[in-house]
Structure formats: C-alpha cells, structure tokens
Amino acid sequence: MNAIISAPELASELAGGRPPVLLDVRWQLSLAKVSGEPPFDGRAAYEAGHIPGAVYVDLDRELAATPGPRGRHPLPDVAEFGAAMRRAGVSSGTPVVVYDGGQGWGAARAWWLLRWAGHPNVRVLDGGLPHWAGPLETSVPTPAEGDFEPAPGAMGLLDADGAAALARAGVLMDARAGERYRGEVEPIDPVGGHIPGAVSAPTNENVAADGRFLPAEDLTARFKALGAVAGTEVGAYCGSGVSGAHEVLALAVAGIPAGLYVGSWSEWSSDPSRPVAVGPDPQ
C-alpha cells in the first residue's frame, strides 16, 4: 500500500463508490511564546475552507497527551485516541486520507499514529491542501461514528534508551533543521544539540520545492547515503515526534521501515543525565 496519494487520485476516490474518510490536520510548530505572536489556529484555518467532507483533528489535543517529562507531544492515551478517531468517522475497514496545510508534519503525525495503532489503510495527501484543485467548503460535517479500535504495535516505537542504542547499532535520523542538530540555535528546548550518534536528516530535504515528496528512488538514494542500507535498523526523531513522523513517512515512501522516537529531543533534553552532542559530527 502506498503511504501517499496525489490530489487527482484523491479527487477520483472521493467521487467513487468507496470514498476514504478524510481528516484535516492543519498544524504548525508555534514559537508564539518566543516571538510574542498569536499561535497558529488550525481549527480557524479549517473553518475558513477545507476539502468537502473533511473532519478537523486537533494535533495538540487528539494526537498527543499533555506536555510533560515525556516531551511536548507524547503519545495520547490509546483509549482517548481511539474515541477521537471514531468521532471523526474512522473505521478499520474504510481507507483514511489525512492532509494538512502543505508542510506535511501534522498529516504525517496522524498517519503514523493511525498506522501504529493498527489501521491498515492510511495515506497522506502529497503536498497537502495547496495541491487540491477542487472546491473547498466551510460547513462542518457530522460523520457517522466509526468503529476503529486501536491495537498498538504495528509501527516501530522507540523510547529514549532505544533511541540511544539505535544511534550506536543502526541509523538514527534527526529530522530537525541542521542548525538545531548542531546546537547553534535552540528556540524551544532547554539544551541545543543532538543525541550522540544520530545523523542529521532535515525533513525539508525529503520534498521538492512544491512541497511534494521526492520520487521514491531519490529518497532511497538520500537515505542510503545516510546509512539506511539493507539489514540496518533505522529510526527517526525530531523536537517532539511530529516532523520525525514525516521522516518515517518519507522512509516508508522509499520502502524503508523505521521506528519513531516520539518523545524526541523535547524528552531527551529535559533529562540532564542524558548526553548531548553538538556540531556536525554525529558523536
């Protein structure tokens, strides 16, 4: 099963006899506390216009638990996540397509969570809403209750110790911008740098200028150059398990299974006993 779907393919499926459940997961990393600007409002963006039939899903409230020692976007309670997905109309036997405003991070987080929780058929709209050529609507649908029951474990999940071990024994990719990986800037977390042994693999290098994923063969070459070769275990992390999900999605497009360290740097850096590496060298 492909992990992504093009806008023309989505339009065709929505017009067909078995349309997918459509989830709008518009979200942006908010630096409002630092900049003083109001935070991005995904629901307001959704209500201003969305793909017909799409249901809004709040990443911070429905795809993550309350921030704390486990990071800024820890795994949600499984029962609460299942209930949120059923309210959105998600059923195990119906395909799901998720999209966001174009960055791909929010949609990837929803894709990863649903796949990790056992949904067999979830795809991300490649390039997000900017590539949708059809009409938008402002009315908010009330979907029929779905029947999805989470069965966690279908995707690789790493904790802090597992991420540290993978950085030594396999390939652990840091999906954040290079300057954050190197520790030159850190706008959110208390400490800059990266997990020792992790390699820098910014998510912006997974996509073309129009925001769509690079061809699978190009992604395969990119990840191979970073050490993701046959027989090597691969994982990814980021700041709080959102852009890291985008990295796992890009790896899936390339045909490479990978685990996600959901706690990511926001969890790792909150523990002063954990080592921190700085600069371009993984170690």
Side-chain angles (χ1 to χ4, degrees):
M1 185 194 72
N2 291 332
I4 56 176
I5 182 172
S6 70
E9 289 170 334
L10 175 59
S12 177
E13 290 195 12
L14 289 173
R18 189 179 177 233
V21 171
L22 197 54
L23 304 181
D24 184 313
V25 196
R26 271 179 271 186
W27 176 89
Q28 291 180 15
L29 177 64
S30 177
L31 301 180
K33 292 181 179 179
V34 178
S35 65
E37 299 176 359
F40 174 77
D41 189 336
R43 181 172 291 280
Y46 165 82
E47 292 175 350
H50 51 268
I51 298 176
V55 177
Y56 178 69
V57 173
D58 189 312
L59 187 150
D60 291 316
R61 293 178 174 83
E62 296 174 303
L63 304 182
T66 303
R70 294 186 297 128
R72 284 192 308 279
H73 291 105
L75 282 176
D77 176 83
V78 171
E80 292 178 4
F81 171 66
M85 293 299 97
R86 290 191 294 275
R87 287 195 302 271
V90 174
S91 291
S92 296
T94 303
V96 177
V97 173
V98 292
Y99 73 89
D100 58 23
Q103 186 182 43
W105 294 4
R109 171 75 176 212
W111 167 84
W112 185 86
L113 267 174
L114 279 164
R115 292 290 294 114
W116 169 78
H119 197 289
N121 192 340
V122 189
R123 290 163 293 168
V124 169
L125 175 60
D126 194 14
L129 189 60
H131 288 273
W132 175 253
L136 300 179
E137 69 177 13
T138 57
S139 60
V140 177
T142 304
E145 182 90 0
D147 65 13
F148 177 64
E149 292 289 346
M155 296 282 280
L157 175 64
L158 298 168
D159 60 12
D161 290 340
L166 183 58
R168 295 189 298 269
V171 177
L172 180 65
M173 298 183 184
D174 186 316
R176 299 172 300 160
E179 58 268 26
R180 290 186 70 192
Y181 169 87
R182 295 187 296 271
E184 297 166 358
V185 298
E186 182 43 65
I188 309 173
D189 294 311
V191 178
H194 58 268
I195 296 173
V199 297
S200 181
T203 56
N204 63 359
E205 296 180 19
N206 295 330
V207 298
D210 65 0
R212 291 185 293 182
F213 280 103
L214 298 174
E217 58 269 23
D218 293 353
L219 288 171
T220 300
R222 161 171 158 74
F223 294 131
K224 181 178 179 181
L226 292 170
V229 296
T232 300
E233 187 178 357
V234 179
Y237 77 98
C238 56
S240 64
V242 180
S243 67
H246 188 277
E247 193 92 297
V248 175
L249 175 59
L251 284 155
V253 172
I256 302 169
L260 177 64
Y261 174 26
V262 173
S264 285
W265 191 247
S266 58
E267 178 186 40
W268 184 278
S269 63
S270 69
D271 183 348
S273 72
R274 296 201 177 276
V276 171
V278 296
D281 190 302
Q283 301 301 331

